[in-house]
């Protein structure tokens, strides 16, 4: 009935330590035993290392971490379970999740509630993913998600109009040479 004394487990050899067993190769090496001595300090993440080196990256990470205020459904007062909590989560929404959000907030199929939201959007049945993302972004109040406008300057538009007029004149000259 007397139990044998417990012998403390020897540290695992360096070759046996791996990430899937919870060990870490960070720390020091004990040459007398041939074992690694684990350090309790956490490893720096890739994000923290890059942020320390690159201010533009640090700023982008800060922007993407901006929280988004959830929008409630008018009929129930519920928030969609996949409503993005941060700007990064918004950019990671899938096609299916965007469709689900539009349907949940009465934008996919127009009904009596569709126009009661602050910024209703026209939802089409076969829109590409980025158009769906832009429309949901506009719907939840994100800036820069409005309908794309022409990136051409006034001078470029005037030049295009002159060229179109010249082509039309040229067409009439060929048809009526007199």
């Amino acid at each position: 009935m007397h139990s044998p004394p417990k012998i403390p487990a020897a540290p695992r050899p360096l070759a046996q330590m791996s990430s899937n067993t919870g060990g870490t190769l960070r720390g020091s090496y004990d040459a007398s035993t041939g074992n690694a001595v684990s350090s309790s300090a956490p490893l720096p993440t890739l994000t923290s290392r890059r942020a320390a080196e690159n201010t533009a990256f640090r700023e982008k990470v800060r922007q993407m971490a901006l929280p988004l205020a959830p929008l409630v459904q008018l009929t129930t007062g519920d928030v969609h379970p996949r409503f993005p909590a941060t700007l990064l989560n918004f950019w990671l929404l899938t096609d299916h999740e965007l469709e689900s959000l539009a349907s949940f907030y009465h934008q996919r199929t127009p009904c009596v509630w569709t126009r009661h939201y602050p910024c209703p959007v026209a939802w089409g049945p076969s829109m590409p993913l980025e158009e769906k993302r832009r429309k949901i972004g506009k719907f939840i109040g994100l800036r820069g998600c409005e309908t794309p406008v022409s990136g051409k300057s006034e001078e470029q538009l005037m030049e295009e109009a002159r060229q179109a007029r010249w082509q039309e004149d040229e067409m009439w000259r060929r048809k009526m040479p007199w």
Side-chain angles (χ1 to χ4, degrees):
M1 297 236 179
H2 181 63
S3 63
K6 291 188 179 184
I7 301 171
R12 290 179 293 170
L14 182 60
Q16 292 179 355
M17 296 187 87
S18 69
S19 60
N20 62 358
T21 60
T24 178
L25 296 178
R26 184 164 186 242
S28 58
Y29 179 74
D30 184 358
S32 63
T33 63
N35 294 325
V37 180
S38 298
S39 170
S40 61
L43 290 170
T45 64
L46 178 64
T47 304
S48 63
R49 287 190 311 243
R50 282 202 177 147
E53 299 168 5
N54 188 332
T55 57
F57 180 76
R58 184 173 43 245
E59 178 60 21
K60 184 52 79 177
V61 168
R62 188 190 66 74
Q63 288 173 358
M64 296 307 263
L66 288 173
L68 299 177
L71 190 64
V72 297
Q73 186 184 50
L74 289 176
T75 54
T76 63
D78 293 336
V79 175
H80 190 279
R82 294 296 299 156
F83 191 90
T86 65
L87 195 55
L88 177 62
N89 296 131
F90 168 75
W91 286 106
L92 295 176
L93 288 172
T94 64
D95 187 69
H96 178 72
E97 291 169 332
L98 292 165
E99 287 282 344
S100 178
L101 283 164
S103 182
F104 184 82
Y105 292 111
H106 309 104
Q107 300 303 302
R108 189 162 187 249
T109 308
C111 67
V112 67
W113 300 106
T114 303
R115 296 277 171 208
H116 291 308
Y117 286 93
C119 192
V121 293
W123 199 263
S126 60
M127 293 187 302
L129 175 66
E130 288 312 311
E131 188 174 352
K132 290 177 183 179
R133 188 178 317 283
R134 181 181 55 76
K135 290 203 180 241
I136 289 294
K138 179 181 177 184
F139 178 72
I140 65 174
L142 293 178
R143 291 192 315 178
C145 291
E146 293 80 22
T147 303
V149 294
S150 172
K152 298 177 182 175
S153 68
E154 188 176 336
E155 292 82 20
Q156 290 172 323
L157 293 172
M158 292 297 285
E159 181 60 30
E160 284 180 6
R162 274 193 293 274
Q163 287 178 359
R165 193 173 344 119
W166 180 81
Q167 288 174 349
E168 186 178 326
D169 290 348
E170 193 63 30
M171 178 194 66
W172 284 110
R173 269 184 241 145
R174 278 186 268 128
K175 287 187 175 191
M176 299 183 186
W178 32 274

